[in-house]
Amino acid sequence: MPKKKKTKDPRKEAKKKLVEFGSEVLESIKKTEPPRMKVPSRSTSNILYDDKNRFYTLGEKAGTRTAANMRQVKKFAQTMCAAEFCRSLIDADKTATLREMYYTSEGWETGGFSDQGRSDKVVEDLESAFGVKREDLGLLPEEDGASIFGELVVDEGGMEVNATEAGRAGYTIPPTMNDVEFLECGAKKVLAVETMGMYHRLVQEEAWDQFDALVVALKGQPARATRRFLKRANEELGLPIHLFTDGDPFGFHIAMVVISGSAKLAYINHELAVPDAKFIGVTASDIEDYDLPTDKLRETDVKRLKQLLDDPRYSDDTWQSEIKKMLKIGRKAEQQAFSKYGLDYVVNEYLPSKLS
């Protein structure tokens, strides 16, 4: 394993920024000035594709939330309460789900939110305003992280876990990667697959051993913890990331979110995107070359593929060619389609060809 770099404790850094925010508010009140905070705009006009870093990021547009505006007073107060709630989580070394914070807000003097979407947006405001992840603030999403199988040993909050000894389902990373430390890794690459079905096939066929790989189940659109794991595996362990998804616009999107981040999370993509990850999923050329079983493209698939042609993340000649070919043949295929040639075909034939 590469020598680990010393990194700052993200939760301590997050607390520092929350405390500074509180101090600024108190200072404003002492000066009889209305407290305010600057929040970067997350509107589509302020989401830019960074050609140099190869992921979406936020531009320079920002708004000001202030207690001087009567229409903003309650939201400003709720933002303050959310910041205090997060600081208390960090102090107590605890976590809470976004849903739990939403219900906790019912007990705040400011009153609760009308729906969870509003409380989630306040959390996004804190993330983008202070440059921290919600996981660093002690807040967790509801979804599970990835399933991992292969030669990897981690320390998770004082508990040592071996990804080859956690049962056939493998090691499931927690909703946050903050407490996970890499101890040993015998793998040379990561094979990240879209579906749990393909994950179990690769585990059964011992693909992790054959390819010296960590087999990772993305479980469809990967959770933030999964994307954070892939980035850390790439940067800290030096493992190349290979993405094996379905041959359809959603499969392409899943891979590209790992590679270049999503527009929605433009403010945090620098912590999640893996620009050097390689797509080895099913392409339109594979559909023809392997004579795969297919489904007809739906109207929504066609519309989405045409959108991808104009997306800067797919400007590469190979992507452009494959998307146009898929539109031309009007067909799509799942990664399990290789079972036409036998259950082990994907491991013995397709993946070796793609990886080479």
Side-chain angles (χ1 to χ4, degrees):
M1 283 179 59
K3 189 175 181 180
K4 287 181 64 65
K5 300 176 183 177
K6 283 190 175 181
T7 56
K8 295 179 179 179
D9 185 335
R11 298 194 73 176
K12 285 184 179 179
E13 289 294 304
K15 178 183 175 179
K16 179 182 177 182
K17 293 183 178 182
L18 292 175
V19 171
E20 288 174 353
F21 172 50
S23 298
E24 289 170 4
V25 170
L26 286 174
E27 195 62 31
S28 295
I29 293 172
K30 288 177 182 177
K31 295 178 180 179
T32 65
E33 298 174 353
R36 62 188 68 230
M37 69 181 294
K38 187 177 180 181
V39 181
S41 170
R42 299 192 297 280
S43 64
T44 54
S45 62
N46 198 44
I47 296 173
L48 312 172
Y49 184 74
D50 187 327
D51 289 307
K52 180 180 179 181
N53 291 308
R54 294 175 290 162
F55 54 69
Y56 276 118
T57 187
L58 290 183
E60 297 182 356
K61 294 180 183 178
T64 300
R65 185 166 303 159
T66 172
N69 187 325
M70 289 302 296
R71 288 181 298 180
Q72 294 184 5
V73 168
K74 182 174 181 178
K75 191 170 185 179
F76 186 89
Q78 288 175 323
T79 303
M80 289 290 297
C81 287
E84 168 59 20
F85 178 69
C86 292
R87 186 200 60 78
S88 66
L89 287 174
I90 296 171
D91 283 345
D93 196 24
K94 290 185 177 181
T95 60
T97 65
L98 294 171
R99 190 69 173 167
E100 286 175 318
M101 193 195 87
Y102 166 63
Y103 282 119
T104 299
S105 70
E106 292 292 329
W108 295 347
E109 290 185 14
T110 59
F113 299 89
S114 56
D115 59 69
Q116 189 181 335
R118 292 179 182 274
S119 63
D120 286 354
K121 279 185 169 56
V122 165
V123 174
E124 291 171 5
D125 290 340
L126 293 176
E127 287 184 291
S128 58
F130 303 137
V132 299
K133 302 187 299 297
R134 68 184 60 170
E135 294 85 353
D136 303 335
L137 295 169
L139 294 171
L140 310 176
E142 301 291 338
E143 68 265 24
D144 293 332
S147 292
I148 303 166
F149 200 97
E151 295 291 343
L152 178 68
V153 180
V154 302
D155 182 297
E156 184 185 312
M159 181 175 66
E160 190 172 303
V161 183
N162 188 318
T164 58
E165 298 176 359
R168 286 187 297 176
Y171 165 61
T172 300
I173 64 173
T176 173
M177 284 295 294
N178 284 350
D179 300 325
V180 176
E181 179 183 359
F182 298 135
L183 299 180
E184 298 176 28
C185 181
K188 296 180 180 178
K189 64 177 70 70
V190 172
L191 277 176
V193 300
E194 178 178 343
T195 65
M196 283 300 293
M198 182 54 68
Y199 168 81
H200 287 303
R201 171 55 47 208
L202 297 191
V203 171
Q204 283 186 47
E205 303 300 334
E206 298 186 342
W208 57 275
D209 186 39
Q210 180 174 331
F211 300 118
D212 291 322
L214 298 180
V215 178
V216 176
L218 298 176
K219 299 182 179 179
Q221 181 69 55
R224 284 169 48 143
T226 303
R227 291 162 59 187
R228 183 63 186 151
F229 168 81
L230 294 175
K231 186 169 184 68
R232 285 189 58 192
N234 179 246
E235 291 187 343
E236 297 177 30
L237 301 177
L239 302 181
I241 310 298
H242 301 277
L243 304 164
F244 179 24
T245 66
D246 287 342
D248 60 27
F250 186 62
F252 297 164
H253 174 71
I254 287 173
M256 194 55 71
V257 163
V258 173
I259 296 169
S260 299
S262 65
K264 183 179 179 182
L265 295 179
Y267 58 91
I268 205 72
N269 278 332
H270 60 282
E271 296 270 11
L272 303 173
V274 190
D276 290 325
K278 303 298 182 185
F279 176 72
I280 59 168
V282 185
T283 62
S285 294
D286 289 334
I287 289 174
E288 293 185 329
D289 294 345
Y290 290 91
D291 190 24
L292 295 176
T294 60
D295 293 308
K296 184 178 179 181
L297 290 178
R298 296 173 300 176
E299 201 172 307
T300 53
D301 293 325
V302 172
K303 181 180 178 181
R304 182 60 179 148
L305 286 170
K306 289 180 178 179
Q307 289 174 339
L308 297 187
L309 286 174
D310 296 324
D311 189 320
R313 296 175 296 176
Y314 298 87
S315 60
D316 177 87
D317 289 344
T318 301
W319 274 116
Q320 290 285 308
S321 174
E322 289 298 338
I323 292 170
K324 289 176 182 177
K325 181 177 285 190
M326 184 165 285
L327 284 167
K328 182 179 179 181
I329 65 177
R331 311 297 294 184
K332 61 184 179 179
E334 297 180 359
Q335 53 187 182
Q336 283 91 344
F338 293 98
S339 298
K340 167 185 177 180
Y341 301 108
L343 295 177
D344 59 359
Y345 186 86
V346 70
V347 173
N348 293 334
E349 300 293 337
Y350 179 73
L351 286 177
S353 175
K354 281 280 184 168
L355 289 170
S356 65

